Amino acid sequence: MRWRVQRWLFRVMIPKLEIEPALWLWGMPLEERLRSSASPGERIRIVRQTRGLTQQAVTQRMRHSTQAVQVSDWESGKTPSAEPWVADLAQALDIDPAWLYWGMARDEALTQTRTLGARLLILRQVRGLSQGGLAAEVKVSRSTISNWEHDLYP
């Protein structure tokens, strides 16, 4: 019942009142709410609810085959989501993947890191690539990518 009322509010009231959904739900802008959240799973749930989507609706928007139970597990933190899934999920939720990973914009995350390896990790994750996926694109081994991300250079 609660979800029906919430969907009705999203469909009818929020457009009529011309208010950002996050302000309605959380009493603060979406970015502020994401910054104050503790985990990627919590940020996934916040964005999904702010968009007025069910877990099932999110899975239908994703390119990779997924089930609502997987989204539930990601939101609860039972299962961490891998890079390709987060990028796909972010696209389905219409948000930059960096907000789901770190609760901040990509460029902000990049400026807060101190090493090239950490920046490489951020850029790889935002693109939705595994270490093996990036290795294949740049024609090096997965272990080389791992070493670079840990600032280990030959």
Side-chain angles (χ1 to χ4, degrees), residues 69-86:
V69 70
Q70 252 178 313
V71 176
S72 175
D73 286 349
W74 294 336
E75 289 181 1
S76 68
K78 287 181 185 175
T79 307
S81 46
E83 287 88 0
W85 293 99
V86 174

Side-chain angles (χ1 to χ4, degrees), residues 103-115:
M104 63 184 77
R106 183 199 70 187
D107 290 352
E108 185 178 353
L110 288 170
T111 61
Q112 290 188 12
T113 59
R114 301 204 187 283
T115 67

Side-chain angles (χ1 to χ4, degrees), residues 13 20 31 35 55 60 63 118-119 124 145 152:
M13 294 300 286
E20 180 187 344
E31 289 180 2
R35 285 181 201 284
Q55 291 170 343
Q60 291 168 351
R63 289 176 294 146
R119 289 186 194 103
R124 177 181 62 76
I145 298 294
L152 302 172

Side-chain angles (χ1 to χ4, degrees), residues 119-139:
R119 289 186 194 103
L120 176 61
L121 172 67
I122 289 168
L123 293 169
R124 177 181 62 76
Q125 288 179 325
V126 168
R127 287 232 14 244
L129 294 171
S130 65
Q131 287 180 339
L134 178 58
E137 281 194 20
V138 297
K139 299 184 182 12

Side-chain angles (χ1 to χ4, degrees), residues 7-81:
R7 283 196 327 229
W8 181 82
L9 287 170
F10 269 89
R11 198 176 60 253
V12 177
M13 294 300 286
I14 290 175
K16 295 253 188 249
L17 297 173
E18 297 178 4
I19 186 171
E20 180 187 344
L23 283 173
W24 176 269
L25 287 171
W26 316 112
M28 62 182 73
L30 179 59
E31 289 180 2
E32 187 177 333
R33 180 68 176 105
L34 292 174
R35 285 181 201 284
S36 68
S37 61
S39 68
E42 185 180 359
R43 289 188 282 274
I44 291 167
R45 180 185 51 79
I46 290 166
V47 175
R48 179 183 58 77
Q49 289 176 340
T50 300
R51 302 287 190 252
L53 298 170
T54 63
Q55 291 170 343
Q56 184 64 38
V58 171
T59 64
Q60 291 168 351
R61 291 173 163 217
M62 293 179 70
R63 289 176 294 146
H64 293 96
S65 177
T66 238
Q67 296 177 354
V69 70
Q70 252 178 313
V71 176
S72 175
D73 286 349
W74 294 336
E75 289 181 1
S76 68
K78 287 181 185 175
T79 307
S81 46

